[in-house]
């Protein structure tokens, strides 16, 4: 379900989910850029991506897909593996999903520590859930996602093959079609992990 449908059902829920997505996607991409920059790759900084300004990271097409289809993407942060090496590339890539898990953990801690408020509970649980979904989805070993690049850093020969595929003109379209075709199983897997995490933190 896209955010447009949610807006029609509940404007407040739309605002909460939209802000949670903007926050989470921004921090995710910033984490990639920040870690890459700190590890010696200036590519993201030169592109203006070491920033918490959402407009530096949101992608027009990805945002449109979120509105109408319920899934989308931010602008990938450019990094140069030659500047980072194998392990630097791994950490810069993993920084995105790890930042989402950190946000989810902070939300769980705040929910446990702060006085109960129905609105606050909805906000924290929404932000927590969005970040778990982003982390799990991005860790899938599918080309163009962080999971495949982490796997490629661990297995250099596979990483070279993935890089060659991603450099092809229609790789993005192929991956989008693949994800759409498997949206049921992928959604089920993410939902199961999300439920497990929510039970684990008591949210």
């Amino acid at each position: 379900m896209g955010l447009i449908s949610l807006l029609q059902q509940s404007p407040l829920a739309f605002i909460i989910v939209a802000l949670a997505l903007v926050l989470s996607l921004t921090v995710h991409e910033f984490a990639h850029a920040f870690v890459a920059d700190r590890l010696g790759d200036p590519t993201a900084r030169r592109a203006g991506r070491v920033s918490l300004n959402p407009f530096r990271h949101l992608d027009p097409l990805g945002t449109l897909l979120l509105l109408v289809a319920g899934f989308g993407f931010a602008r990938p942060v450019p990094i140069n593996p030659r500047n980072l090496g194998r392990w630097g590339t791994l950490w810069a890539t993993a920084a995105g999903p790890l930042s989402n898990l950190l946000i989810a953990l902070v939300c769980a801690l705040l929910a446990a520590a702060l006085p109960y408020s129905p609105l606050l509970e909805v906000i924290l649980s929404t932000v927590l859930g969005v970040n778990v979904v982003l982390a799990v989805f991005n860790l899938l070993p599918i080309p163009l996602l962080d999971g495949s690049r982490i796997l490629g850093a661990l297995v250099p020969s596979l990483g070279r093959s993935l890089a060659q595929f991603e450099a092809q003109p229609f790789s993005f379209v192929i991956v989008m079609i693949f994800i759409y075709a498997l949206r049921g199983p992928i959604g089920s897997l993410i939902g199961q992990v999300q439920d497990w995490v929510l039970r684990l933190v008591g949210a």
Side-chain angles (χ1 to χ4, degrees), residues 56-109:
R56 296 281 188 178
H57 304 293
L58 296 181
D59 181 272
L61 176 59
T63 303
L64 179 63
L65 285 173
L66 279 172
L67 289 172
V68 301
F71 73 95
F73 51 89
R75 291 169 53 210
V77 168
I79 64 172
N80 187 344
R82 294 180 181 179
N83 293 331
L84 293 170
R86 177 182 177 186
W87 299 110
T89 299
L90 187 150
W91 283 112
T93 302
L98 288 175
S99 72
N100 294 128
L101 293 176
L102 180 60
I103 292 175
L105 176 61
V106 169
C107 288
L109 293 174

Side-chain angles (χ1 to χ4, degrees), residues 182-195:
L182 293 180
R183 65 191 183 280
I186 291 174
S188 177
L189 172 64
I190 292 174
Q192 290 175 14
V193 175
Q194 183 182 25
D195 290 343

